[in-house]
Amino acid sequence: MNLIQKTLTVLVLFSSLTAQASSLKEKNNNIEATIEKAMKTFQVPGVAVAIIKDNNVVMSKGFGVIEEGESDKVTPDTLFGIASNTKAMTTALLASLVDEGKLTWETKVIDIIPEFQMPDAYVTREFTIIDLLSHNSGLGKGAGDLMIWPQTTLTNADVIQGLKHLPQVSSFRSEFAYDNLMYVIAGEIIAKLTSMTWQEAIQTRIFTPLGMSNTRPTFSLIPKNNHNVARAHVPVNGELTVVGGNFLEKFTSAGAVASSVNDMTLWLKAQLNKGAYTNIANQEARLFSAEQSTAMWQARTILPVSAAETKQDKTHFAAYGLGWFLKDYHGVKLIHHSGGILGMVSKVVVVPEENLAMVILTNQQSGDAFNAIYLDILNEYLELTPKDWVTYFHDKRQAKKAKETVRLAKAADVVDKNSSHSLRLKAYAQMYTDNWYGDINITYKNNQLNMQFTNTPELKGKLEHYQYNTFIVRWDDRSLEADAFVNFHLNEVGEIEYVTMKAVSHATDFSFDFHDLKLRPKVKK
């Protein structure tokens, strides 16, 4: 190659690199504009976003503030609750134990936890590790979550004990119903097989090897001198309210991890590389084998796909794997998950065919914001037709909100406002008990009934009469957004036989599974 040829080669290479840099800058500018618009539209004080492309971090940036009304900025190292994005990490821990021969995906849960018991004996006997992770247990969506949310005094042993009393709503392995408790039990399996707590296992087997130095298994383990921690926000009557530090401690292996986008890029690189990573000695190491990566990204429980999804997203299949949701999207396979806690939501997306991954962490509970952001990132990197996702989700949310307002208004119209309760108010004041949750106390003072979930300090509120023997409990903490009907069922002699509950609003988070309770007056000993 002569000098002229060498010069031309260098110029072509330089031109190519310049074009790539220009293209990346344009992509990032477009994405940042969408982030800013989403934050403004959906009242999100702070967001952090990281994107990995071809093993390079092409964006890792904070936007907005840690707390509304304060000046501290969100940075790529700001810690957020990643909630259910913890599930993929718990699954990865199990995958490493499969690699080590300590169990298989088909191992029966009762072989490790003999006290594990489902409502049905056959299901108990046949329940495998795969079933723990696939949301196909036959229990309802969010069944039993009141044992772990809001922060409770119940233990994981109480959770295992309570399982058998939960109502089974479908046949085993017949349909998808999101389930947090099974991931809590997965954490107990990890603890038994590693002879350490789940918190210790995830720290020593994932966070430390990957160099995720700021990440912690739970918020309570964040050093007190680290003030770069996002505060959670909930809109109450249109105004953002900061809610306390209750970040799913009892969800543990189902959703307790606190992390930053900088640390999450290390986790996502390992995902894109099928478990491989470079350790601190600059040697290749593995969290889990490529075989287990395939196993985790394999469809286990099928999800429905609407005609609208097929038309809009070119989606033809959707499923849950092990710790991950799966779907096709405009011709590529998406591996993804979201996470939500009171006042914080997050999204993680991996696109293996494009060697692309992203994480979005926010300090407000609007899923519309992260949905608009991640879909815009996909638009940019998959070179799809531009779409205003912020406006799309805003309009969709407004329509949904209007529909719920109409539904509640119609329900209010048929309430018999002249009806009265059958018993004296004081007669409703008793200690009630549920087989899986425990005790709930209703007290009477100054002509007012009050309810307290005895294992959940935050679940306390006043009962107001609705109609007949139905009341509504209005929780003292209005940020919970979970007021519920309380229905007293009387027997033939006019005594309270049992009490049922259900959320007033369809927008209430599914983890408030009041409808799974069946409260009976507690027999005095």
Side-chain angles (χ1 to χ4, degrees):
M1 183 181 293
N2 59 34
L3 181 60
I4 294 175
Q5 289 173 319
K6 287 181 180 180
T7 302
L8 287 173
T9 300
V10 170
L11 287 173
V12 169
L13 179 60
F14 178 77
S15 176
S16 175
L17 292 173
T18 301
Q20 288 177 23
S22 176
S23 174
L24 176 60
K25 185 177 180 180
E26 183 180 359
K27 282 183 171 68
N28 284 352
N29 286 342
N30 292 341
I31 292 164
E32 289 184 21
T34 296
I35 293 168
E36 298 286 357
K37 183 177 180 180
M39 291 172 66
K40 183 177 180 180
T41 302
F42 301 116
Q43 283 186 284
V44 183
V47 172
V49 176
I51 304 170
I52 300 164
K53 175 63 175 170
D54 297 329
N55 250 18
N56 295 309
V57 177
V58 294
M59 177 188 283
S60 187
K61 189 171 181 179
F63 302 82
V65 292
I66 287 173
E67 181 178 347
E68 177 72 2
E70 300 296 330
S71 59
D72 289 342
K73 301 293 185 182
V74 173
T75 75
D77 291 315
T78 300
L79 292 174
F80 293 78
I82 69 168
S84 285
N85 283 302
T86 302
K87 289 180 170 67
M89 297 174 175
T90 294
T91 303
L93 284 174
L94 288 168
S96 70
L97 295 174
V98 172
D99 282 330
E100 292 168 18
K102 293 184 177 179
L103 80 167
T104 72
W105 295 116
E106 290 76 28
T107 295
K108 301 292 197 300
V109 174
I110 56 172
D111 290 341
I112 302 173
I113 304 178
E115 62 272 28
F116 174 82
Q117 190 176 342
M118 293 292 285
D120 181 89
Y122 168 79
V123 177
T124 299
R125 190 170 62 250
E126 295 300 314
F127 217 88
T128 67
I129 302 301
I130 286 176
D131 296 318
L132 275 182
L133 308 176
S134 303
H135 305 293
N136 62 3
S137 68
L139 300 179
K141 184 179 182 181
D145 276 0
L146 283 169
M147 286 191 278
I148 56 175
W149 162 259
Q151 187 75 359
T152 79
T153 58
L154 296 171
T155 65
N156 286 359
D158 294 321
V159 169
I160 294 171
Q161 178 65 26
L163 273 181
K164 62 179 177 287
H165 298 297
L166 289 166
Q168 193 151 341
V169 301
S170 65
S171 298
F172 180 39
R173 297 174 180 159
S174 67
E175 62 182 61
F176 177 87
Y178 197 83
D179 194 322
N180 287 304
L181 298 191
M182 296 306 162
Y183 274 82
V184 172
I185 294 166
E188 288 296 293
I189 285 176
I190 290 164
K192 282 184 176 289
L193 294 180
T194 61
S195 298
M196 59 179 73
T197 65
W198 170 81
Q199 289 89 336
E200 292 167 337
I202 198 169
Q203 185 68 55
T204 59
R205 297 172 74 101
I206 293 182
F207 301 157
T208 299
L210 289 179
M212 298 171 70
S213 57
N214 287 323
T215 301
R216 295 294 183 271
T218 63
F219 267 75
S220 62
L221 295 174
I222 297 172
K224 301 302 181 190
N225 62 353
N226 184 354
H227 303 296
N228 195 6
V229 181
R231 298 296 303 276
H233 299 77
V234 174
V236 178
N237 299 322
E239 296 293 325
L240 284 180
T241 301
V242 176
V243 293
N246 179 357
F247 295 112
L248 305 189
E249 293 286 316
K250 290 299 177 76
F251 267 62
T252 57
S253 45
V257 167
S259 191
S260 66
V261 294
N262 267 351
D263 276 7
M264 288 293 286
T265 61
L266 301 170
W267 163 248
L268 290 176
K269 282 184 180 181
Q271 288 293 327
L272 285 169
N273 292 308
K274 297 185 178 296
Y277 68 98
T278 302
N279 64 22
I280 55 174
N282 206 31
Q283 299 170 325
E284 184 172 301
R286 280 196 166 274
L287 293 180
F288 47 80
S289 65
E291 179 184 356
Q292 303 315 328
S293 175
T294 300
M296 289 184 280
W297 291 354
Q298 180 178 326
R300 306 288 177 169
T301 303
I302 303 303
L303 296 169
V305 175
S306 68
E309 287 177 282
T310 301
K311 182 179 180 180
Q312 175 179 276
D313 301 336
K314 302 297 185 287
T315 295
H316 304 86
F317 93 93
Y320 199 87
L322 302 179
W324 294 96
F325 284 94
L326 320 169
K327 65 183 286 188
D328 65 321
Y329 181 82
H330 291 277
V332 297
K333 183 178 181 179
L334 297 190
I335 316 296
H336 65 105
H337 216 292
S338 59
I341 59 178
L342 187 67
M344 285 193 194
V345 291
S346 57
K347 186 74 178 184
V348 172
V349 182
V350 180
V351 192
E353 294 155 83
E354 296 294 321
N355 205 11
L356 172 71
M358 69 196 76
V359 55
I360 301 151
L361 307 177
T362 79
N363 63 356
Q364 204 261 64
Q365 60 189 28
S366 170
D368 295 320
F370 73 60
N371 279 326
I373 294 167
Y374 100 79
L375 287 168
D376 190 68
I377 294 171
L378 289 177
N379 262 34
E380 291 292 334
Y381 280 88
L382 300 181
E383 299 181 351
L384 304 175
T385 303
K387 180 168 181 173
D388 186 346
W389 286 109
V390 174
T391 299
Y392 170 82
F393 282 107
H394 173 266
D395 293 348
K396 190 175 180 179
R397 182 172 74 161
Q398 292 302 107
K400 186 176 181 180
K401 186 177 179 180
K403 185 178 179 180
E404 178 65 1
T405 300
V406 170
R407 186 192 71 81
L408 290 172
K410 285 182 178 179
D413 284 343
V414 298
V415 172
D416 187 348
K417 296 179 176 61
N418 296 318
S419 67
S420 61
H421 37 83
S422 302
L423 308 176
R424 293 178 297 111
L425 274 182
K426 194 172 183 179
Y428 296 95
Q430 300 184 46
M431 181 71 78
Y432 299 87
T433 192
D434 173 81
N435 286 336
W436 59 265
Y437 173 82
D439 294 345
I440 294 173
N441 195 20
I442 296 179
T443 57
Y444 173 82
K445 186 178 181 180
N446 298 329
N447 205 38
Q448 173 66 55
L449 291 172
N450 298 281
M451 173 177 276
Q452 174 71 69
F453 278 54
T454 60
N455 298 314
T456 315
E458 286 183 63
L459 286 182
K460 60 179 178 178
K462 293 177 171 59
L463 268 66
E464 65 178 47
H465 186 245
Y466 183 67
Q467 65 176 340
Y468 305 110
N469 288 312
T470 298
F471 294 74
I472 293 178
V473 58
R474 305 287 186 189
W475 304 114
D476 292 350
D477 184 349
R478 303 310 299 156
S479 70
L480 295 177
E481 299 182 307
D483 291 348
F485 291 114
V486 183
N487 302 298
F488 294 87
H489 301 260
L490 309 186
N491 61 18
E492 68 277 5
V493 295
E495 298 171 331
I496 297 171
E497 186 170 349
Y498 63 93
V499 182
T500 58
M501 296 179 67
K502 71 173 183 178
V504 172
S505 172
H506 289 176
T508 297
D509 191 282
F510 66 81
S511 285
F512 290 104
D513 64 317
F514 301 119
H515 52 277
D516 289 323
L517 296 166
K518 191 167 186 178
L519 304 166
R520 296 187 182 277
K522 192 168 185 178
V523 178
K524 295 179 182 178
K525 296 182 180 179

